[in-house]
Amino acid sequence: MREKLFQYMAAYTNLTEAEQRSIIKALDVREIAKGTYLTRQGYTLDSTICYFILAGCVRQYHIDERGKEITTSFFTEDHVILLANFAKQDQTSKYSLTCMEDCILVVGDMESELDMYQQYSGLETMTRRMMENYYGQTRNELANFISSSPEERYKSITQSRPDLLTRVPQHQLASYLGITPESLSRIKKRMQHTTSI
Amino acid sequence: MREKLFQYMAAYTNLTEAEQRSIIKALDVREIAKGTYLTRQGYTLDSTICYFILAGCVRQYHIDERGKEITTSFFTEDHVILLANFAKQDQTSKYSLTCMEDCILVVGDMESELDMYQQYSGLETMTRRMMENYYGQTRNELANFISSSPEERYKSITQSRPDLLTRVPQHQLASYLGITPESLSRIKKRMQHTTSI
DNA sequence: ATTTCATCTTAACTTAAGTCAATGCCAATC
DNA sequence: GATTGGCATTGACTTAAGTTAAGATGAAAT
């Protein structure tokens, strides 16, 4: 599974293969069981921790003021989660993170990565580029969400992330699209009619 | 105006003041007139360019398939724009960027910044941290947008970015909230009633 | 086999946003 | 001062999403 990291890193780095190998060897790769929580809303968190998803699916959600559960992200293969972004001022977590499947994650500690950046000068460049990319992707995701209606969002996700349709329950997917499960049901029904003509 | 950069950089860097000064001196700071376009939808763009906003407001928008203009970002003070994220495969721009006010921007070229990273070893660390932050902020923005209704979004923006309410026309703000100008009008009217009780 | 539970769907009804058209407002221009 | 154009609001109407409640399905548990 570590092998997957080579392909991924290749796009961002000019580190030598030897360097890549020793970096990857040093990484903390963990298998984490379905149902495990990486953090829970309201719990104090270690904001130096980050995750890179090699395999599996991690759901981000929270319970809002009215007691409703709202899913705001599905992190899957090649996605990165920075717990720093989950922290409120008091260092408790705004969101819960739960593994929807058995996952294989690289667990990173931003503090100890600083040592790695010292050892491998190209590594921080790689990380910077990756972050620039994640930033951009997320801005585009946001732009997409703003510009489209619930129905368009659903169509769009069937294109961009078709795996999600089978990997996660519909009511969580609905929530992630900003609508109720009932609305998603209706949208799918509407689409059956119009696409079969 | 360059002075503002010191304060901002301080939060991300351990560069010496002398280093910071020479970096800032080397930056390309430009005054750009209201109405200027930084890029236009459909035009070929230079995806190595990035902007840091020292003062002013830059609007991101596009014309959708039905010919409607949709505003998807307002970049203001301390925000960063990476044109790389605007590029389609053919290097034309998905979005237009226009200055809503006279702006003062740091105009960066990601290529030539590589030289700077060589000269100042702490600079890339600073950029990496900034990008990690932007990534996180945008993920939270997206989570916020997903979790809230149009009315909640409007309330939320009056808290988080009250300046926007006066800086940009209402119909563009409405679009940015994912609704029509008419709906925004009604939301404001509703709120007058309920808050005055 | 039965129960339990979660999930998805359907229906009836309410609410809010979209649409279309008209009006008022203001600032810029001639 | 009259006119134009852009913007914000309002009203009437349509459409779609939210809400509530009731079934249908299926998988897991007993």
Side-chain angles (χ1 to χ4, degrees), chain B residues 123-141:
Chain B
L123 186 60
E124 187 158 32
T125 302
M126 188 193 83
T127 310
R128 174 185 54 79
R129 287 187 187 145
M130 286 172 58
M131 289 303 154
E132 286 168 358
N133 252 293
Y134 293 134
Y135 170 54
Q137 280 169 19
T138 307
R139 287 232 67 91
N140 284 333
E141 239 180 275

Side-chain angles (χ1 to χ4, degrees), chain A residues 21-55:
Chain A
R21 293 221 174 264
S22 37
I23 289 167
I24 290 174
K25 193 178 281 181
L27 292 178
D28 181 6
V29 177
R30 296 192 206 165
E31 300 189 15
I32 295 180
K34 176 174 173 172
T36 306
Y37 277 81
L38 303 179
T39 186
R40 280 176 199 265
Q41 181 179 5
Y43 284 36
T44 300
L45 52 70
D46 181 350
S47 59
T48 64
I49 290 182
C50 61
Y51 300 96
F52 180 89
I53 302 188
L54 283 166

Side-chain angles (χ1 to χ4, degrees), chain A residues 164-178:
Chain A
L164 281 189
L165 305 188
T166 53
R167 286 176 102 169
V168 308
Q170 298 295 296
H171 68 279
Q172 291 174 4
L173 187 67
S175 173
Y176 179 56
L177 296 173

Side-chain angles (χ1 to χ4, degrees), chain B residues 68 180 182-183 186 190:
Chain B
K68 288 198 177 176
T180 60
E182 293 91 336
S183 282
R186 283 189 287 243
R190 275 204 304 263

Side-chain angles (χ1 to χ4, degrees), chain B residues 79-92:
Chain B
H79 288 186
V80 162
I81 307 171
L82 305 182
L83 287 195
N85 308 326
F86 282 56
K88 297 201 278 191
Q89 286 88 334
D90 62 358
Q91 285 297 308
T92 60

Side-chain angles (χ1 to χ4, degrees), chain A residues 24-150:
Chain A
I24 290 174
K25 193 178 281 181
L27 292 178
D28 181 6
V29 177
R30 296 192 206 165
E31 300 189 15
I32 295 180
K34 176 174 173 172
T36 306
Y37 277 81
L38 303 179
T39 186
R40 280 176 199 265
Q41 181 179 5
Y43 284 36
T44 300
L45 52 70
D46 181 350
S47 59
T48 64
I49 290 182
C50 61
Y51 300 96
F52 180 89
I53 302 188
L54 283 166
C57 178
V58 176
R59 179 171 73 103
Q60 170 184 338
Y61 73 91
H62 69 280
I63 310 293
D64 75 4
E65 322 75 47
R66 269 162 302 181
K68 288 197 176 175
E69 178 184 298
I70 301 181
T71 296
T72 47
S73 299
F74 288 108
F75 297 101
T76 53
E77 286 74 15
D78 298 350
H79 288 187
V80 163
I81 308 171
L82 306 181
L83 287 195
N85 308 325
F86 282 55
K88 297 201 278 193
Q89 287 86 334
D90 63 358
Q91 286 297 308
T92 59
S93 179
K94 285 194 270 204
Y95 305 104
S96 293
L97 276 177
T98 179
C99 296
M100 304 291 293
E101 313 166 353
D102 292 338
C103 290
I104 303 177
L105 307 180
V106 180
V107 182
D109 178 46
M110 315 264 278
E111 301 279 320
S112 56
E113 274 165 26
L114 294 178
D115 302 335
M116 296 275 274
Y117 293 148
Q118 295 293 324
Q119 271 187 53
Y120 305 96
S121 63
L123 185 59
E124 187 158 32
T125 303
M126 188 193 84
T127 309
R128 173 184 54 79
R129 286 187 187 145
M130 284 173 58
M131 290 303 154
E132 286 168 359
N133 252 292
Y134 293 133
Y135 170 54
Q137 280 169 20
T138 306
R139 286 232 68 91
N140 283 334
E141 239 180 274
L142 177 61
N144 238 307
F145 200 96
I146 292 176
S147 3
S148 44
S149 66

